[in-house]
Amino acid sequence: MTINLINRRGFLQGTSAVALAAGLGPKALLAQEGPKRGGTVRIGSSGGATSDTLDPATTYGGVVALAMLGGVCNNLVEIDVAGRAIPELAESFEPSADAATWTFKLRKADFSNGKRVTAKDVLASYNHHRGEDTKSGAKELLSQVKDIRADGDDVVIFELESGNADFAFVAADYHLWIMPEDGNGGLDWKSGIGTGGYTLEEFEPGVRIRLKRRDDYWKKDRAWFDEVTILTINDSTARQNALVTGEVEIINAVPPKTVHLLERRPNVQTVEVTGTAHFPFAMQCDKAPFDDVNVRLALKYAINRQEMVEKVLRGHGSLGNDHPIAPTQRFFDAELEQRVYDPEKAKFHLKKAGLDSLDVSLSTSTGAFSGAVDAAILFQESAGKAGINLNVETKPADGYWSNVWLKDPFFVGYWNGRPTADWMFSLVYADGAPWNETHWHNKKFNKLLLEARTELDNDKRAEMYGEMQRICRDDGGAIIPMFANYIDGKTDRVGHGEVAANRYLDGWKVVERWWLKD
Amino acid sequence: MHPLARMILHRLALGLLTLFVISLVIFMAIELLPGDLAEEVLGQSATPETVAAFRRELGLDLPAWQRYLSWLGGMVQGDFGMSLANNRPIVDLLASRLGNTLFLAAYAAVISVPLALCLGLLAALYRGSWFDRLVNVVTLTSISFPEYFVAYILLLFLSVRTGIFPSIADFGNDAGFGTMIYRTFLPAITLVLVVTAHMMRMTRAAIINLLAQPYIEMARLKGASPARVILRHALPNALAPIINVVALNLAYLITGVVIVEVVFVYPGLGQLMVDSVAKRDIPLVQACCLIFAAIYILLNLSADVFAIATNPRLMHRK
């Protein structure tokens, strides 16, 4: 397993010793390595289509989020490279003692049209995702918000249905960037105006987005490029060709299969971080035979995780333990024993369920993730040795999310992961969550989830989330064999600091965090 | 009225009817696809309420026939409507994409049509020679590989290894003609390799077929040179089938190049249509399909007109 998390601190400690030995102070070294203003950078990214809009309600990430979240706009809160929620457009935020009331104090920052950002804009930006008529992907996320109100021009108060110690992370979500209010309480997203380090110069959906640096950006140590062009290049081969031939300086999503080939090229490097993206094999616990926990356990023991990481991710990932919290995340329980492939144990659990053999169908598709069919076939092989006949049904990629996902009793899914344990669990594993893909209802788990959400003592929370990971692993309906690394590519010309592990391209903040060295 | 003019009008009327039928078929086909725009745009983050709100906003909750009729109503008045997915006027979306597609098609056609005709004529003239065989082997090989393979081979040798040509064809908004020609060279050559064989083989076959005719033998006997026999006596009679094949290939250059667009990151009409089908953006799919269909109809019509012009006997078919 390659875990290539670039750690600037470690790097500096190592190199400064060399620098001191050579008679250089650390300052001289920093001056060489530090960020530099100027230049035009071109980024080739997947995740763009002709149907894209700037509307934050229907964004699914991709190139639009890369430009808006990381360049043109700011959120109230930003997730930093260490995965912490830090104030962004909010100068500060403060939860009440029960974490049910959150007060955000706004920074004095201006939109690119010169208008000062006020509480009104924040209200419009959030209400765009709430209420009867919204079509926003963030509606469910904001259902915990009972009321949002302004207190003067620069204070916004969120009243939550119940306490949420991690609410600050919600404010960093990729739907919730702040745009101007349109004068009637609605959101003026069409203008493409934000408070970020860049202005939107050109937006041709599915082709290219051009950004230009703002000189009056309130963050002084960010936004280094003068101009940025984000090209939509959905085909991964075309993306790598573009990087290798110098058509672009940065690309996202290098397929694990070709990382070693790309690394062989001169002047090109990959940037790899252990990510939160994972691929659950979801069994719906209210449908036979998955309603028996022993059947679920049999299947969990019948999957060869190590082989899957090696063959599907080519080693560019880490082992999953049947719960959705990634090893790099806060509250990940490292003590929890790693489940391994054990056909004998699988047979034992089958017998306990009163079965000699098991025949089940697994729906998969390249629409779930690119290696989903390969992964299902590997699972079929390893399960066969445990007396489980897995019938792999390959479904069309087109419409997979609307026709197969959540509908079939046993299917392959995909989650990009979420910044907090609470968020991930609440979204997919909690009782009543619309995306509870395994139809799993565990009383103890749900009780713990609610308690941990309002608990502000971090040691207690760690214990609770550890317990929830254990329950999820031993009782839940999802087999989570692995977490994928985020692998991006760049040329020599591009410099960057420590890289965030929450998404591709430095948490989609590459536009304001990276720089050109020349 | 001149019989040719009458035929053109007749065919144009039939073409309009065809377009109408096509629009109906496309609409029904997309209705049959599982999922609709709201579900596809929201994807994994869709919930029943947000999907319903989305449908209300776009009128997707209306019955299918009502939506079709309102689309048709706009269409009859020359209004393509708005893209459902991003609410931009379809005319704007089409304009730049269609321009790009036509540019690439013209570029490939300007090279491939004369090339194919010359090669075909020469191959017929020197039938059975090493030249004939070489041309056949090369063109048939290039047509036998899938387009993306040809494209990747070209990319590997002319772009990645040597850096002569760029790997991305997109030339932005304000590129000069020279830049456009340079940037789109590789996709154009890919298309040339893909379409040349068909036209070349048809030219060769049509000429060879005629060379067996008694009047050609007569021309030879009276002492005409081989070049004169072919250009003056054989070619005019072979033009009708050749023109038909050329028209078909031109239509292909416009309508069938989505893979080349993807490989070379070229914003053409094909990619627009694939995106809009994937999102079930019906008005946009309709617009793309109608343009493609109209191009087919017009190219076929002009092929017939040219064929008749070169061979008036075709006018009086029973």
Side-chain angles (χ1 to χ4, degrees):
Chain A
M1 243 178 300
T2 357
I3 297 176
N4 192 6
L5 214 149
I6 294 166
N7 184 322
R8 194 207 247 163
R9 201 171 303 130
F11 171 78
L12 281 180
Q13 276 164 2
T15 44
S16 56
V18 178
L20 285 174
L24 290 163
K27 235 181 194 168
L29 205 121
L30 269 177
Q32 263 182 356
E33 290 294 324
K36 211 166 152 280
R37 273 254 339 248
T40 298
V41 75
R42 293 161 300 175
I43 304 172
S45 173
S46 61
T50 327
S51 47
D52 287 346
T53 73
L54 294 175
D55 187 351
T58 54
T59 186
Y60 51 90
V63 291
V64 174
L66 199 58
M68 301 306 281
L69 181 92
V72 178
C73 298
N74 297 125
N75 284 39
L76 288 180
V77 174
E78 172 183 358
I79 294 177
D80 71 359
V81 289
R84 291 169 307 209
I86 57 166
E88 192 176 24
L89 204 51
E91 198 171 59
S92 62
F93 51 80
E94 200 61 52
S96 61
D98 61 351
T101 307
W102 284 73
T103 308
F104 289 80
K105 189 169 179 312
L106 295 185
R107 192 179 294 280
K108 297 205 181 333
D110 294 333
F111 286 108
S112 54
N113 61 3
K115 255 186 62 199
R116 172 76 26 113
V117 61
T118 66
K120 247 191 197 167
D121 304 308
V122 176
L123 253 56
S125 298
Y126 275 78
N127 287 332
H128 187 60
H129 306 277
R130 303 171 71 228
E132 187 72 2
D133 285 327
T134 185
K135 54 189 183 190
S136 173
K139 181 179 181 176
E140 187 58 32
L141 177 64
L142 291 181
S143 64
Q144 60 184 300
V145 176
K146 195 159 62 182
D147 185 40
I148 311 176
R149 61 173 197 274
D151 182 8
D153 265 354
D154 51 5
V155 172
V156 182
I157 299 164
F158 289 77
E159 296 277 359
L160 309 186
E161 296 282 351
S162 62
N164 181 357
D166 286 336
F167 183 71
F169 286 91
V170 169
D173 181 70
Y174 65 91
H175 297 90
L176 300 176
W177 60 68
I178 306 299
M179 295 183 96
E181 189 239 12
D182 65 0
N184 304 310
L187 185 67
D188 177 21
W189 56 265
K190 289 187 182 126
S191 62
I193 286 175
T195 51
Y198 293 84
T199 51
L200 186 67
E201 296 294 306
E202 182 188 349
F203 174 51
E204 206 178 324
V207 183
R208 78 186 84 78
I209 302 175
R210 272 192 320 112
L211 310 176
K212 209 168 161 224
R213 188 178 192 281
R214 269 177 73 183
D215 287 330
D216 56 344
Y217 186 33
W218 61 268
K219 284 189 198 173
K220 291 298 164 215
D221 57 343
R222 290 287 177 85
W224 306 104
F225 308 115
D226 284 338
E227 281 188 52
V228 180
T229 304
I230 301 171
L231 291 170
T232 295
I233 311 180
N234 287 320
D235 183 56
S236 61
T237 312
R239 214 159 50 234
Q240 292 173 85
N241 278 337
L243 183 72
V244 165
T245 57
E247 290 289 321
V248 298
E249 283 76 38
I250 300 170
I251 61 169
N252 79 332
V254 177
K257 276 183 205 163
T258 48
V259 172
H260 63 289
L261 294 175
L262 199 63
E263 279 170 346
R264 241 193 259 159
R265 302 284 310 187
N267 315 326
V268 166
Q269 294 94 39
T270 53
V271 179
E272 184 167 353
V273 289
T274 306
T276 50
H278 56 275
F279 320 106
F281 291 73
M283 307 174 275
Q284 298 195 325
C285 304
D286 54 351
K287 290 182 187 150
F290 308 116
D291 50 355
D292 186 333
V293 67
N294 280 303
V295 170
R296 303 203 289 269
L297 280 170
L299 281 158
K300 285 175 178 178
Y301 279 112
I303 196 164
N304 191 338
R305 295 150 209 267
Q306 191 63 47
E307 184 189 31
M308 222 173 257
V309 170
E310 278 161 20
K311 293 193 175 153
V312 177
L313 301 178
R314 307 280 170 130
H316 298 282
S318 45
L319 293 178
N321 205 9
D322 299 330
H323 64 74
I325 309 306
T328 46
Q329 283 186 288
R330 194 168 58 135
F331 302 134
F332 170 77
D333 186 358
E335 311 276 284
L336 194 61
E337 194 197 338
Q338 172 65 47
R339 182 164 283 144
V340 291
Y341 177 49
D342 190 340
E344 290 312 311
K345 265 196 184 152
K347 280 183 193 157
F348 166 78
H349 282 288
L350 269 193
K351 198 167 265 169
K352 239 173 127 184
L355 297 164
D356 289 329
S357 69
L358 179 67
D359 289 274
V360 284
S361 287
L362 171 65
S363 303
T364 185
S365 164
T366 51
F369 63 97
S370 62
V373 176
D374 299 341
I377 301 285
L378 280 178
F379 190 12
Q380 185 182 41
E381 283 297 310
S382 64
K385 291 184 191 128
I388 298 170
N389 298 318
L390 207 58
N391 173 29
V392 174
E393 291 182 18
T394 306
K395 307 276 173 141
D398 181 80
Y400 186 77
W401 299 110
S402 44
N403 305 315
V404 179
W405 183 66
L406 295 183
K407 298 207 165 67
D408 287 8
F410 190 20
F411 56 85
V412 181
Y414 173 86
W415 286 102
N416 222 346
R418 289 296 181 271
T420 66
D422 173 64
W423 192 340
M424 193 64 226
F425 278 139
S426 314
L427 193 70
V428 190
Y429 296 85
D431 196 9
W435 294 301
N436 185 339
E437 53 190 11
T438 54
H439 296 189
W440 181 54
H441 305 288
N442 183 299
K443 276 203 188 104
K444 192 169 171 209
F445 176 90
N446 287 312
K447 190 164 158 278
L448 271 171
L449 184 61
L450 292 180
E451 283 171 13
R453 193 178 293 159
T454 48
E455 178 61 59
L456 292 173
D457 178 336
N458 273 332
D459 291 339
K460 275 193 197 152
R461 289 186 84 196
E463 207 173 289
M464 288 161 136
Y465 285 118
E467 176 68 5
M468 282 153 72
Q469 286 165 51
R470 195 191 58 73
I471 300 175
C472 192
R473 181 189 74 146
D474 295 338
D475 187 63
I479 306 168
I480 298 178
M482 57 194 170
F483 289 87
N485 291 356
Y486 294 119
I487 314 171
D488 303 315
K490 68 166 195 77
T491 67
D492 273 345
R493 297 179 56 207
V494 179
H496 58 77
E498 202 176 323
V499 176
N502 53 334
R503 294 178 195 116
Y504 280 109
L505 293 177
D506 211 345
W508 291 344
K509 287 280 195 182
V510 65
V511 172
E512 75 162 34
R513 286 182 186 166
W514 292 19
W515 62 87
L516 284 173
K517 291 181 193 161
D518 51 22
Chain B
M1 199 194 271
H2 190 277
L4 196 58
R6 199 167 57 213
M7 188 209 81
I8 292 175
L9 283 181
H10 179 72
R11 292 282 292 274
L12 283 178
L14 275 179
L16 271 184
L17 187 69
T18 314
L19 288 183
F20 169 72
V21 174
I22 286 172
S23 78
L24 207 58
V25 171
I26 300 289
F27 187 86
M28 288 193 294
I30 297 174
E31 282 295 307
L32 284 180
L33 284 177
D36 68 357
L37 181 101
E39 284 173 332
E40 294 302 329
V41 168
L42 291 173
Q44 203 183 3
S45 67
T47 61
E49 303 100 76
T50 50
V51 166
F54 208 157
R55 285 185 185 145
R56 266 200 311 280
E57 183 185 311
L58 296 174
L60 289 175
D61 47 351
L62 297 173
W65 62 269
Q66 256 181 0
R67 280 180 286 133
Y68 179 75
L69 282 185
S70 79
W71 172 82
L72 191 66
M75 202 60 215
V76 170
Q77 298 163 37
D79 176 14
F80 276 94
M82 303 288 221
S83 154
L84 295 179
N86 58 15
N87 206 26
R88 295 182 168 215
I90 286 176
V91 177
D92 293 356
L93 286 171
L94 288 179
S96 67
R97 297 299 187 100
L98 183 62
N100 284 348
T101 291
L102 291 179
F103 173 75
L104 184 58
Y107 191 175
V110 163
I111 300 175
S112 63
V113 173
L115 182 70
L117 293 188
C118 287
L119 289 178
L121 283 174
L122 290 174
L125 191 58
Y126 302 110
R127 182 182 177 192
S129 69
W130 64 266
F131 174 78
D132 181 24
R133 283 182 202 163
L134 183 73
V135 169
N136 273 307
V137 167
V138 170
T139 52
L140 285 178
T141 309
S142 68
I143 203 179
S144 306
F145 286 117
E147 282 156 58
Y148 60 85
F149 183 76
V150 176
Y152 282 148
I153 293 290
L154 288 176
L155 266 176
L156 179 64
F157 287 107
L158 295 179
S159 182
V160 175
R161 288 262 171 93
T162 57
I164 303 174
F165 291 101
S167 60
I168 290 186
D170 178 25
F171 43 70
N173 276 338
D174 39 10
F177 189 67
T179 315
M180 287 164 73
I181 291 285
Y182 172 64
R183 294 228 123 207
T184 49
F185 181 77
L186 288 182
I189 290 301
T190 307
L191 291 174
V192 166
L193 288 173
V194 169
V195 296
T196 301
H198 199 189
M199 293 188 285
M200 189 285 286
R201 295 282 294 179
M202 188 49 125
T203 311
R204 180 178 174 275
I207 299 276
I208 284 174
N209 194 22
L210 284 170
L211 287 182
Q213 299 276 328
Y215 80 91
I216 296 290
E217 200 171 2
M218 181 64 213
R220 280 209 193 104
L221 286 176
K222 77 180 185 193
S225 69
R228 189 177 162 81
V229 168
I230 287 196
L231 292 177
R232 190 78 193 114
H233 297 272
L235 189 58
N237 280 310
L239 273 179
I242 295 173
I243 287 171
N244 265 312
V245 172
V246 170
L248 271 181
N249 278 289
L250 289 185
Y252 177 79
L253 285 178
I254 295 172
T255 59
V257 299
V258 63
I259 289 170
V260 173
E261 287 175 13
V262 169
V263 171
F264 292 103
V265 196
Y266 188 69
L269 214 48
Q271 189 60 49
L272 180 70
M273 178 151 138
V274 169
D275 280 353
S276 51
V277 172
K279 291 286 179 331
R280 316 278 189 264
D281 192 345
I282 295 181
L284 196 48
V285 180
Q286 292 274 36
C288 293
C289 285
L290 290 185
I291 285 181
F292 286 155
I295 285 168
Y296 257 97
I297 289 169
L298 288 177
L299 280 171
N300 272 315
L301 176 61
S302 31
D304 286 354
V305 171
F306 281 121
I308 288 167
T310 61
N311 187 355
R313 273 177 305 174
L314 292 171
M315 196 75 208
H316 307 289
R317 244 184 315 202
K318 291 279 145 58

